[in-house]
Amino acid sequence: MSVYHLDKIFTPAAVAVIGASDQKGSIGYALMNNIQKGNYPGKVFPINPKYGTVNGLKSYPSIAEVGQPVDLAVIATPINTVPAIIGECVKAQVKGAIIVSAGGKEIGQKGRDIELKIKEEAAKADIRIIGPNCVGVICTHAKLYATFADRMPLTGNMAFISQSGALIGAILDFALKKQIGFSHFISVGSMLDGDFGDLLDHLGNDPHVDSIVLYMEGLTHPRKFMSAARAVSRIKPIIALKSGRSAAGAKAVASHTGSMAGEDTIYDAAFRRAGIVRVDTIEALFNAAELAAKQPVPKGTGLAVITNGGGPGVMAADALSRLRLAPVSLGPETIHKLDQFLPPFWSRANPIDILGDATPERYALAVETCLSAPEINGMLIIFVPQAISDGAEVAAILSKVLRGKRYPIFAVWMGDESVKKGREILSKAGIPTYETPEQAIESFMYMYDYAQNLELLQQTPPKLHHMLKFDKAGASTIINNALGKHQTFLTEPTSKALLSCYHIPVNRTELASTPETAVHLARDMGYPVAMKICSPDISHKSDAHGVQLDLRNDEDTRNAFKKIMAGARAYDPKAKIQGVTLQSMMARADYELILGCKNDPVFGPVLLFGMGGIMTEILKDQAIAFPPLNRLLARRLMESTRVYQLLKGYRNRPRADLHKLEEILISLSQLVVDFPEISELDINPLILVGSNPCAVDARVILEPSKIKSPLHLVISPYPAQYEVSAITKKGVQIFIRPIKPEDEPLLGDFFKTLSPKSIYMRFFSPMKSIPHAMMARFTQIDYDRDMALVAMRQDQGREEILGVARLMSKPGGIEPEFSVVVGDMWQGKGMGATLMEQLMAIAKEKGMTSVWGLVLAENTQMLALARKFDATVQSASGNQYTLRIDLKKHSASKSGQTIACSRIDR
């Protein structure tokens, strides 16, 4: 279903209210009343056979009898009647429905069956649905108030999406008090159809929306959500409150990784990867939302605190300190300017204490000075009630000083009744106000976190020092053999064999089921050896006395075997014991780490890294991430742990080879990308001796999977299947592959090879360089949504981009925009046509029906090439043409020349 059918929900030309009522206190009455009270400009059709008129409007027995086009149906009838109503909407060509009716899946199987019928009826005409069991939808810019909430928000540019209808009223009350305006208020209810991912996509493309706030209890389509959030968070802040941080519902799992990668931790990692700011409480959500709605995103942590009381300034500094930050140091020029008008006893530091007798004029001068200070990125203004100063007068003069300033400024007017008027003045002026310095600092840091997330999303990952090669066939044989024998638990030797296929270093490990076999293997390995229990039912070997170290002879080995068996039986008499494993004793480790993965029921595979060994679950020094990983993401995963500081070298501990650890994490990531059958995997510990890592213990649990790779992942991986070697019609040998985030430097070099004419043909305007943020958008694409192919050649080991072809899709769309550009040296050699052929093949595979692009009228080469692809050419605005290629009809290109097509990428 196309996300753009949501337009009919939020900006309909005509609305039918099914279940409309004249009976006060009913939902049907509230819906009609709110729609009319909001001055909705379109047509409204009440539908209820019981009434001749509703709220002064003619009422119709059914939507079929309206006889006029209807875009949106708002349904407030018993849930069991809704499938038939949706069927009527299909016949009436309605495109959107808001179902406020309760009684769906929340009541059990009967409700789920009804929802299934609703969905089946809606699918017949691609009707998009919000709900059921929702409070409705408000779109202030369209003057649509299709809700039975009893408060109407102010118009603004912040969208709010809530999975809880009960919160709507409370948030509306808060927003009115704080003078916060909203573009949208959306209650999603059961999310039968329209969900967080759909709504983020829609709101991300809505020019009336500057920021988005979510209250979330769970996800229905996590891959779609992550795709949408990663795209939208690059251009608009997303703030989320996810309920359910407790571990009350945690299930028992069979590995260290499973027990440590809990649901809430995984949501944290998902929000971080998607660039979403997560808050912990309703209060924090309100406070951060107010700042997002009224102020721009801070560009740094350079916060100045202006206060007329020393104590509150210290409180603000302490709040920053708890976040490992400090107020920005004032530059000599700033201090000099402040000296000109502040009393001799001012603090001469930040916090800037302008003293208790500060007048409104002194406040204004201090604020103006800080606005011009280059070291300051944001400003917290604190007012404490004093006999000399009036909070309302200070607020009034500051409102004038700050009018029109796009600068992160927020205020704390401490107290209650005496500062109430001042807070109201500031709120109306668009300046967020808080009751305490701690609240203000917390909100500022949430928005700074967003700025940091944005920077990280746009960071260019470094390339690997060498290509990583994997034995996927060997790994597949191990997994298929095990599952073929209905073995879900891999023994330690088999687990290590699987890791070896992906070049994760392991030590030799052998399985022995008798004491004599153990002795024979120990002699072959050479003493001293280590012995460990091998059982699918014993995760924590040390707890079962299942580890014996430094065995130096045959007698030690036999005795160790007996001790381990006795300890295992005492620990769990029902445990299935396969024997013991033996391996050579390793040198004393400099570090012990844990690496692992777990198949989460919502997000699919998640990776874990942290401090390993027997203290793993006590120290709880781990971080998690989602595959696929590159070097940048692998390094960030390590940096999120305390052990990373040790790995950089500490006192007499040597520095670990961090590049090797990155490669191991990338290899582990690729293993779980390739095999959905891996349910849980532990490497604990991965020991580091000098610069040499080694997995000395490993455990893998398999489950048959109906989902094929890579559809089990929440983030689409690099599509290596689209790599192809090709020879153009003019005989140029090239390698075509999807673009990678690491390609940003190569793409920059490619841009430098383009002539001003080629740049103008491609971007429709002259450009001397491409900003980093735009380069990040070009290279860090979501392969589920878009595709960009690069034509490459290698010259003495150096890669070079010769041309780029790109598909850009609207979410849920089947007609993507395309663009092509080829370097000036390589034009006329058939490279553009070769890139286009590959791009069209991918578009067909993805189910696209046609592609289109814009081209300048003077770009005759591109127009000629397009005709070779059976493109239709239509005049667009000005000197532009629209090209459209029907993918069912297009034929191979016969032209060998192309320059550039289409406008600048979104």
Side-chain angles (χ1 to χ4, degrees), residues 18 27 75-82 85 98-104 106 115 118 131-134 148 190:
I18 303 175
I27 291 177
I75 303 172
T77 62
I79 192 80
N80 61 309
T81 67
V82 175
I85 290 171
I98 300 170
I99 305 174
V100 301
S101 317
E106 69 271 15
E115 287 194 2
I118 294 170
N133 192 25
C134 72
F148 58 89
S190 301

Side-chain angles (χ1 to χ4, degrees), residues 523-803:
R523 289 174 181 170
D524 184 59
M525 288 180 173
Y527 288 110
V529 296
M531 184 184 293
K532 294 179 282 186
I533 187 69
C534 185
S535 168
D537 302 315
I538 300 176
S539 300
H540 308 294
K541 300 178 178 68
S542 299
D543 291 354
H545 303 287
V547 179
Q548 295 288 319
L549 304 176
D550 202 26
L551 309 178
R552 295 187 168 273
N553 52 51
D554 294 357
E555 184 179 358
D556 284 353
T557 304
R558 292 188 182 94
N559 289 338
F561 189 96
K562 293 175 184 177
K563 287 179 182 178
I564 286 176
M565 290 300 169
R569 293 191 189 98
Y571 179 76
D572 184 356
K574 296 181 180 179
K576 181 181 178 181
I577 298 172
Q578 297 172 326
V580 298
T581 59
L582 289 100
Q583 51 194 277
S584 297
M585 283 293 296
M586 305 284 290
R588 181 179 176 83
D590 295 312
Y591 304 100
E592 291 190 0
L593 304 173
I594 180 172
L595 283 70
C597 79
K598 158 189 166 177
N599 203 355
D600 180 74
V602 176
F603 289 99
V606 293
L607 303 170
L608 178 141
F609 172 88
M611 178 82 78
I614 62 172
M615 304 296 285
T616 295
E617 292 180 27
I618 294 175
L619 296 175
K620 296 186 186 303
D621 178 28
Q622 296 90 27
I624 64 172
F626 295 99
L629 296 182
N630 52 34
R631 277 190 62 192
L632 177 63
L633 293 172
R635 180 61 66 97
R636 280 192 209 154
L637 176 59
M638 292 191 288
E639 288 172 347
S640 300
T641 61
R642 296 189 300 278
V643 73
Y644 177 75
Q645 300 304 319
L646 295 176
L647 295 174
K648 292 191 295 182
Y650 184 73
R651 293 185 177 175
N652 63 336
R653 294 287 187 95
R655 178 183 174 87
D657 189 330
L658 298 175
H659 291 313
K660 278 187 182 178
L661 287 176
E662 288 171 2
E663 290 183 3
I664 290 173
L665 283 167
I666 292 169
S667 297
L668 178 63
S669 166
Q670 191 60 46
L671 177 61
V672 300
V673 165
D674 289 342
F675 295 101
E677 297 84 359
I678 296 175
S679 174
E680 294 181 29
L681 183 153
D682 266 351
I683 302 172
N684 187 26
L686 178 88
I687 67 169
L688 302 181
V689 180
S691 61
N692 298 313
C694 181
V696 298
D697 201 348
R699 171 187 187 89
V700 177
I701 299 171
L702 304 175
E703 280 185 12
S705 176
K706 294 179 182 178
I707 304 174
K708 300 295 183 184
S709 175
L711 297 179
H712 65 305
L713 302 173
V714 78
I715 295 173
S716 181
Y718 173 77
Q721 69 270 25
Y722 297 139
E723 293 181 346
V724 61
S725 295
I727 299 176
T728 72
K729 289 196 172 185
K730 295 296 180 73
V732 180
Q733 189 165 353
I734 55 176
F735 178 61
I736 298 175
R737 64 164 173 80
I739 203 163
K740 299 177 182 178
E742 297 92 330
D743 288 334
E744 182 176 333
L746 293 178
L747 193 62
D749 292 341
F750 170 70
F751 181 82
K752 293 173 185 175
T753 70
L754 299 176
S755 66
K757 180 182 178 182
S758 291
I759 292 171
Y760 187 78
M761 293 290 187
R762 171 61 182 87
F763 296 102
F764 291 17
S765 64
M767 295 178 66
K768 293 185 178 180
S769 63
I770 301 181
H772 167 67
M774 187 183 291
M775 291 288 272
R777 291 206 309 273
F778 287 170
T779 55
Q780 299 177 28
I781 67 171
D782 183 338
Y783 300 112
D784 274 348
R785 292 168 174 255
D786 304 322
M787 182 55 63
L789 298 177
V790 288
M792 310 284 296
R793 75 163 185 163
Q794 277 201 337
D795 184 14
Q796 297 180 347
R798 179 181 172 274
E799 286 187 311
E800 180 184 3
I801 293 177
L802 311 180

Side-chain angles (χ1 to χ4, degrees), residues 314-350:
V314 173
M315 291 164 65
D318 286 347
L320 281 169
S321 177
R322 284 191 290 274
L323 297 167
R324 299 181 183 179
L325 295 171
V328 66
S329 297
L330 301 178
E333 187 176 348
T334 304
I335 292 175
H336 175 71
K337 287 181 179 178
L338 291 169
D339 279 336
Q340 303 308 303
F341 60 86
L342 289 180
F345 304 110
W346 79 278
S347 60
R348 304 197 87 252
N350 190 15

Side-chain angles (χ1 to χ4, degrees), residues 439-454:
Q439 289 177 345
I441 294 296
E442 181 184 49
S443 301
F444 174 79
M445 288 311 301
Y446 281 134
M447 294 313 297
Y448 175 70
D449 285 346
Y450 167 71
Q452 286 290 96
N453 288 347
L454 193 61

